[in-house]
Amino acid sequence: MDSQLFVTSAAVMLLVICSVLVIRRQRNFQSLQSAEKSAHSSLTASLLEQDELSKCLASALPNSVTLPHDVAAFKQSMNSYWAQQECEVVPACVVQPRDVQELCTAVNVIRRNYSSQMGQTGLEKAEGIFAVRSGGHSPVAYAASIKGGVVIDLHHFCGVIPSEDGTTVIIGAGAKWMDVSKVLDGKGLAVVGGRNSAVGVGGLTLGGGLSFFSPRFGLVCSNVISYEIVLASGVVTTATASHNADLWRALKGGSNNFGIVTRFTTRSFPSTQIWSGFLYVPNFQAPRVLAAFHEFISRADANNTDVSYDQNAAGPLACFSYLPKLGIQAIAVNLVYTKQPPHDSKKWPTCWRTSSFASLWRFWSTCKVRSLSSATDEMNVLNPPGRRQHFATTTIKNDPATIAAAHSAYNDAIASIRQVSVKGLLWTMVLQPLLPAWARKGDANPLGLDSTNESLVIVSFTVNWDERRDDEFIKSLTRRTIEQIDAFAAANATGHPFRYLNYCAEWQKPFVGYGEENLRFLWGVSRRYDPGGLFQKGCVGGFKLDIED
C-alpha cells in the first residue's frame, strides 16, 4: 500500500512539475509578445516626447546613449528586466557608460538639468528624472526604470577581479551573481554573495544582502571592504573604513541614496563545493514543516544546550506555493551546507540529518554536493524572468504560534484567490531565518539588528502572474496578508520592526525599521554627500530616506 501511495503521489507530483514548466514557457513567450506590442506603442510616444536632457546626454556621450529610434537596441534594453512591469516602463533614453569617466559625465549632465528644474519649481516640487539599473531584478515598477526619463544602465561595469592572494575580489556593480560565481568557482574561492544567480550585485549588496554564507560571515554588505562611487557632484571617490567612513557605513544597507556605486571590493575565502538542494514535500506535511523550521532555528538560541547550531548550515527556506490553474498546494524546502562533506556526495550533513527535516515524507530531494554556481542556478530556475512579479515582507520572532499565524494568513489569501480568476497566478510564501549573530559578524551596518538577541524569521511573499489587469488585486491581497500577520505579531509581542529592503513592496518603509538613530545617521550622510538632494528627488528608484528638514 505504501509503495502504491508513493508511486501515485510521485506521478502526480511529476505531472505537476511538468505542467508548471510547460505553463511557464508558454507564459514567458506570451509575455515577450505582449511586451513587444506594448514597447512598440510606447516607443512611438517616446520618439515624440524626447526631451532636452536626452539630447544633451547623446551629445556628451554619443557612443553610450541609446535613443528610441534605435529600435532593436532600445527594445533589448527594455526587455532585460526580470519583472514584466519594469519592461513596460519606457524611458526617453538609456545611458550605458563604458567607464567611470563616462558615468561622471552623465551625472554632471543630469545634475545640471536637475538644478535647473529646482530653480524653476523648488525642491519640494522637483520630479524624478533618472533611474539606475544594476541587475534589474526588483519587481517594483520604477525601481530601476523611469517613464520618459533617463535610465543609467551599469551593464558595462561587470568585471570580477580576484586578488592574487585570494583574499579580496573587485566586483562591478553591473554584474550578476552568476558572473561572480563562475569566475570564483574555478579558483576555489567564494564571497558572501547572492543565492540567486540572476540577481544583480549592486541592488542586493546595497540593500543589505542575505547569503548562503551569512551564518559564517554575516550579511553581504558587512563584508564589503571598499566602494567606488560617483557622487551627485559628478566626482568619483572611494569609501572605506578609513576614508569617507560615514559613507562606507551608510552604503551597508542604505540602497542608492548616496550616489552610484560602480564597484565593490569584498572579502573572499577558500570554498570548493557546497551541499544544497530542495526537498519537495506534499502539502499535508505543512504542520511538520513549520515545526521542523522552528526547531532548527531554535538551535541557535543561547539557552539551547541540547543541540549546537552549525554555522555552515544555511537556511532552511520553507516555501509554500499555491497554483490555482492546477488547484494544488506544494511545499519546497531549501537546505544548504557550505562546508563540503568529506565522503558520500548524497549523504546529509550531520546538522541536517539530525533535524526533523530528515524524517519528512517527500516526493524527492535534489540535495547533493555541487558548485556554488549550480546551487544559485537552481534558485533562479524556480522563478525565471518574463512575468509580472510582486514582493512584500515582514519580520517576526521565532515563535511557533506566530509562524503558524503567518501560514494561516497565507491560506486565508488562497480563499480570496479562489473567488477570482487571475491568469497564471503562483502565490508563494517563504519563511527564512535571520539570526542576531549574523548581523554582528563582519563590519558594522545601520540595519538596526545589532542589539537584537532573539532569533528572527523573515516572512516574504513572492507572487507572479500574467496580466496587468490583476496588478491591483495582487498588491492589495498581499498587503492585507502582511498586515494580518503584523496584527497577530503585535497582539502577541512577537513582531520586529526590521523589514528586509530587498523584499519590500513599494508601500513599505524599510528605513524606519532601522531605528531612529540609524535613520538620522543616514539623513546626515545624505546631506553631506548629496546636499542638493539629487538622489532623493531626482533619482526615482529604490526606497528613499524621507529626510526631514
Side-chain angles (χ1 to χ4, degrees):
M1 185 67 177
D2 289 342
S3 62
Q4 289 178 335
L5 174 63
F6 174 80
V7 171
T8 302
S9 299
V12 170
M13 193 63 180
L14 182 60
L15 176 61
V16 168
I17 296 296
C18 291
S19 300
V20 170
L21 292 174
V22 170
I23 290 169
R24 279 181 172 168
R25 284 196 173 192
Q26 290 175 338
R27 289 177 192 154
N28 289 344
F29 178 72
Q30 291 167 353
S31 295
L32 287 173
Q33 286 184 317
S34 174
E36 288 184 0
K37 290 179 181 178
S38 175
H40 180 73
S41 58
S42 300
L43 286 177
T44 302
S46 290
L47 281 168
L48 297 174
E49 298 173 4
Q50 184 178 334
D51 59 11
E52 289 301 316
L53 178 55
S54 298
K55 294 177 181 177
C56 289
L57 287 165
S59 176
L61 300 167
N63 298 318
S64 300
V65 175
T66 303
L67 297 169
H69 59 70
D70 188 354
V71 177
F74 200 76
K75 285 170 61 176
Q76 182 180 13
S77 177
M78 288 175 57
N79 290 335
S80 64
Y81 293 96
W82 175 62
Q84 180 60 31
Q85 302 100 299
E86 287 279 75
C87 296
E88 295 170 356
V89 179
V90 183
C93 72
V94 178
V95 182
Q96 292 184 318
R98 298 171 187 272
D99 54 39
V100 174
Q101 291 307 313
E102 286 199 355
L103 178 57
C104 291
T105 298
V107 170
N108 278 320
V109 172
I110 290 169
R111 187 191 69 255
R112 287 194 292 268
N113 181 278
Y114 173 73
S115 298
S116 175
Q117 183 187 116
M118 278 203 306
Q120 297 172 11
T121 65
L123 180 59
E124 292 302 316
K125 295 183 179 180
E127 296 181 353
I129 57 175
F130 76 105
V132 182
R133 178 170 68 196
S134 169
H137 202 271
S138 173
V140 179
Y142 303 103
S145 60
I146 180 170
K147 183 178 180 180
V150 176
V151 171
I152 297 179
D153 182 357
L154 300 179
H155 171 75
H156 292 300
F157 294 84
C158 59
V160 180
I161 308 171
S163 64
E164 290 187 7
D165 63 2
T167 60
T168 62
V169 181
I170 297 172
I171 306 173
K176 296 184 178 182
W177 289 107
M178 65 177 71
D179 304 319
V180 179
S181 60
K182 285 176 181 177
V183 171
L184 299 186
D185 278 353
K187 295 182 177 295
L189 296 172
V191 297
V192 182
R195 298 171 296 186
N196 182 322
S197 60
V199 168
V201 169
L204 180 96
T205 306
L206 293 174
L210 294 168
S211 171
F212 291 143
F213 297 100
S214 288
R216 289 167 60 184
F217 302 109
L219 303 178
V220 176
C221 66
S222 296
N223 286 273
V224 178
I225 300 169
S226 173
Y227 301 83
E228 181 181 82
I229 181 171
V230 175
L231 302 175
S233 62
V235 173
V236 60
T237 189
T238 57
T240 69
S242 59
H243 180 68
N244 295 324
D246 54 348
L247 178 60
W248 176 70
R249 181 169 176 260
L251 289 168
K252 297 179 182 296
S255 193
N256 67 349
N257 285 290
F258 312 101
I260 302 176
V261 175
T262 58
R263 66 181 188 180
F264 307 85
T265 302
T266 187
R267 299 181 183 94
S268 56
F269 46 86
S271 178
T272 52
Q273 293 184 308
I274 67 173
W275 181 92
S276 77
F278 280 87
L279 311 179
Y280 291 93
V281 180
N283 191 56
F284 72 81
Q285 292 274 64
R288 293 189 64 193
V289 171
L290 296 174
F293 179 89
H294 166 73
E295 176 272 327
F296 191 84
I297 298 174
S298 295
R299 293 184 177 188
D301 292 346
N303 58 358
N304 184 357
T305 58
D306 296 332
V307 183
S308 62
Y309 183 79
D310 189 333
Q311 66 175 2
N312 294 296
L317 272 69
C319 311
F320 302 84
S321 295
Y322 172 57
L323 188 62
K325 185 176 181 67
L326 299 177
I328 60 104
Q329 295 186 58
I331 303 170
V333 182
N334 180 246
L335 308 178
V336 177
Y337 193 75
T338 58
K339 182 179 179 181
Q340 182 176 342
H343 301 301
D344 187 348
S345 65
K346 292 189 177 182
K347 186 177 180 180
W348 284 36
T350 301
C351 67
W352 292 120
R353 192 170 66 250
T354 57
S355 75
S356 298
F357 289 105
S359 60
L360 288 175
W361 193 93
R362 53 188 179 269
F363 295 114
W364 70 79
S365 164
T366 66
C367 294
K368 64 180 181 179
V369 174
R370 61 177 84 201
S371 67
L372 185 58
S373 291
S374 172
T376 58
D377 283 344
E378 184 177 31
M379 298 287 274
N380 177 46
V381 166
L382 295 177
N383 199 355
R387 308 201 59 216
R388 311 189 79 77
Q389 303 280 351
H390 187 59
F391 286 175
T393 187
T394 190
T395 305
I396 60 177
K397 295 178 182 178
N398 184 36
D399 170 67
T402 312
I403 293 172
H407 186 259
S408 294
Y410 155 82
N411 276 324
D412 290 346
I414 291 175
S416 298
I417 290 169
R418 286 174 174 153
Q419 303 303 312
V420 297
S421 176
V422 179
K423 185 177 179 182
L425 177 63
L426 182 60
W427 171 257
T428 299
M429 180 184 76
V430 181
L431 304 177
Q432 59 182 301
L434 177 61
L435 304 187
W438 302 358
R440 290 191 282 268
K441 292 182 178 181
D443 302 314
N445 60 63
L447 303 181
L449 292 167
D450 50 315
S451 61
T452 300
N453 294 313
E454 296 181 82
S455 298
L456 302 176
V457 176
I458 294 177
V459 182
S460 60
F461 285 84
T462 300
V463 190
N464 50 74
W465 67 103
D466 285 350
E467 296 182 345
R468 184 187 303 176
R469 65 181 176 87
D470 297 312
D471 289 3
E472 293 309 312
F473 170 78
I474 294 299
K475 291 179 180 180
S476 175
L477 177 65
T478 307
R479 182 167 184 167
R480 290 200 309 270
T481 305
I482 288 290
E483 290 174 343
Q484 180 179 335
I485 297 169
D486 285 343
F488 183 95
N492 292 274
T494 53
H496 192 278
F498 178 75
R499 300 291 180 268
Y500 180 45
L501 184 148
N502 291 329
Y503 294 164
C504 280
E506 56 262 39
W507 58 269
Q508 298 188 285
K509 296 184 179 298
F511 295 119
V512 174
Y514 289 10
E516 183 176 353
E517 182 180 349
N518 286 318
L519 180 55
R520 290 189 178 277
F521 163 74
L522 295 175
W523 288 354
V525 175
S526 174
R527 290 189 182 107
R528 178 180 176 188
Y529 293 93
D530 183 17
L534 178 64
F535 287 93
Q536 293 304 301
K537 298 289 186 177
C539 180
V540 300
F543 294 91
K544 299 307 171 186
L545 298 175
D546 297 328
I547 297 175
E548 296 179 359
D549 294 331

